Amino acid sequence: MAPLRNCGGTLLARRWDERVARQPAQVRRALGELDEDPGFFQLRTLRRSRAYPEPGDTFRLEPPCCPPLEGVVVNSHVVHMGEGGIVVALVFAPGVSPEVALSMGVPPESLMIEPQTLTDLYWRRGYFERIGRVEVDRRAIGYGFYDVNPLRREDRFEDEWRRPLPAEPRLLGDRGPATDIGVAWEVAREAIIRGLCPWPPPGWAPPPPPPAATSEGPCALLDAQHPDALALAARAEGADPACLLNGYAWEAMLPELLERAGRPDLLRGLSTDPEAGALALSYRGRGASSRAAELASLLNALVASGEEVLALVRSGKVDWDE
């Protein structure tokens, strides 16, 4: 096959971006909000099964964003990255049964999402409910996967066993097993684009925006470009035109702010790494994670109120040129 040069993102990613760019603004906005909170769209739990899926097994799934769908296992017991147990499955569009799709050679338009590689977790958790069996000739279907390998200079089309294909298959999927939310997320994206999912769906609300300061493990980060931080920076500049409330200014103010808040203890073991847009903070040793979380919470309170910060700015105690 001709090599696929990996320039400007993967083939599937570029095709997806081009497709999204063609959608109306409200669809693009809905897709962006879906990416922020895909958990709401997890498949409903149906009847669980411990039996390992075999080729020809048909199944049913119930996304909360569109009518129920059906699918079929086309291969299983596939070894992937040294581990066996990978299942290859097709999920069909609403109203399309596996029997009808297979009898027509599985036209691309009969699919709801691209071919999937996944584990039997989908059956064990009840996301896929076994409903019957059909005859499957996987070689006649014409599916394959797109593999991005950083160790090679070219990407390529492969079958599920990682054997190269001579050309792009009719039905092309992404290499790598789907996560436990992966199928639901892909179905929801398609449902939005196809107009099957009203937006916003009933019961859904966009996730709250992240706060100005966040913590993860022993580290905390104050985002000086966060809307709340920028609003406070504008007020601070009004109080003192010399004050540019960026990451360096927050580092300069931090000892005095913690003193005024009655938490000078949070300075012990604290390392800071400022830059224009943010202030990174970290602790070492016992209790580092809890101290980072406390510091992030205190910084959020200071940003939300603004009064202690503005009082310090007006006091002239901070040398902005240091």
Side-chain angles (χ1 to χ4, degrees):
M1 62 167 287
L4 299 169
R5 300 291 176 181
N6 188 357
C7 52
T10 72
L11 174 70
L12 292 179
R14 292 198 301 272
R15 287 179 179 175
W16 172 255
D17 290 344
E18 292 166 359
R19 187 181 179 201
V20 170
R22 296 193 297 268
Q23 304 304 315
Q26 64 269 25
V27 172
R28 296 197 303 270
R29 184 169 57 252
L31 291 170
E33 293 175 345
L34 165 68
D35 289 345
E36 294 176 5
D37 184 27
F40 178 86
F41 300 89
Q42 179 58 284
L43 304 174
R44 296 189 177 99
T45 301
L46 306 174
R47 185 175 53 190
R48 294 178 172 87
S49 173
R50 293 180 179 272
Y52 186 80
E54 299 291 347
D57 285 353
T58 57
F59 56 87
R60 179 173 178 269
L61 56 152
E62 289 191 2
C65 54
C66 71
L69 308 174
E70 294 184 11
V72 64
V73 176
V74 295
N75 205 359
S76 61
H77 302 279
V78 176
V79 176
H80 176 81
M81 302 293 287
E83 297 184 7
I86 297 299
V87 179
V88 180
L90 303 178
V91 177
F92 298 105
V96 177
S97 70
E99 293 85 355
V100 170
L102 290 168
S103 70
M104 296 189 300
V106 190
E109 60 272 17
S110 69
L111 294 182
M112 183 65 174
I113 56 178
E114 64 190 25
Q116 298 290 304
T117 57
L118 34 80
T119 70
D120 65 338
L121 173 146
Y122 274 82
W123 285 263
R124 288 187 285 107
R125 289 191 178 177
Y127 298 149
F128 289 176
E129 180 183 35
R130 195 183 311 267
I131 57 174
R133 284 192 58 79
V134 294
E135 290 296 322
V136 171
D137 181 358
R138 64 183 182 84
R139 293 179 178 82
I141 294 174
Y143 66 88
F145 302 92
Y146 180 70
D147 182 60
V148 180
N149 190 328
L151 300 179
R152 291 196 305 262
R153 293 196 175 183
E154 297 94 18
D155 305 332
R156 69 184 188 187
F157 302 118
E158 298 179 341
D159 66 11
E160 58 267 51
W161 299 98
R162 305 193 72 89
R163 296 174 298 204
L165 298 174
E168 178 174 350
R170 290 190 313 110
L171 309 177
L172 181 62
D174 198 2
R175 165 66 65 189
T179 64
D180 62 347
I181 191 70
V183 171
W185 174 65
E186 290 203 30
V187 167
R189 292 197 309 178
E190 281 298 322
I192 291 170
I193 289 177
R194 300 185 189 196
L196 300 172
C197 179
W199 198 267
W204 180 86
T214 56
S215 70
E216 182 175 354
C219 301
L221 181 71
L222 174 61
D223 180 7
Q225 301 297 310
H226 188 279
D228 294 344
L230 290 175
L232 178 56
R235 296 171 64 193
E237 188 176 3
D240 181 353
C243 174
L244 179 61
L245 209 53
N246 56 21
Y248 299 103
W250 277 101
E251 182 190 41
M253 294 189 302
L254 191 59
E256 181 65 21
L257 288 172
L258 293 179
E259 184 70 37
R260 294 184 178 208
R263 294 302 309 272
D265 58 297
L266 288 177
L267 288 171
R268 291 197 301 271
L270 177 64
S271 298
T272 60
D273 183 14
E275 54 185 55
L279 174 60
L281 310 114
S282 61
Y283 289 97
R284 288 185 177 182
R286 177 181 293 180
S289 296
S290 61
R291 290 165 67 79
E294 288 182 74
L295 180 58
S297 177
L298 179 57
L299 288 171
N300 282 322
L302 291 170
V303 171
S305 169
E307 295 307 316
E308 286 295 333
V309 174
L310 294 175
L312 179 56
V313 170
R314 295 189 188 103
S315 72
K317 290 185 176 182
V318 180
D319 185 354
W320 307 116
D321 296 326
E322 285 188 351

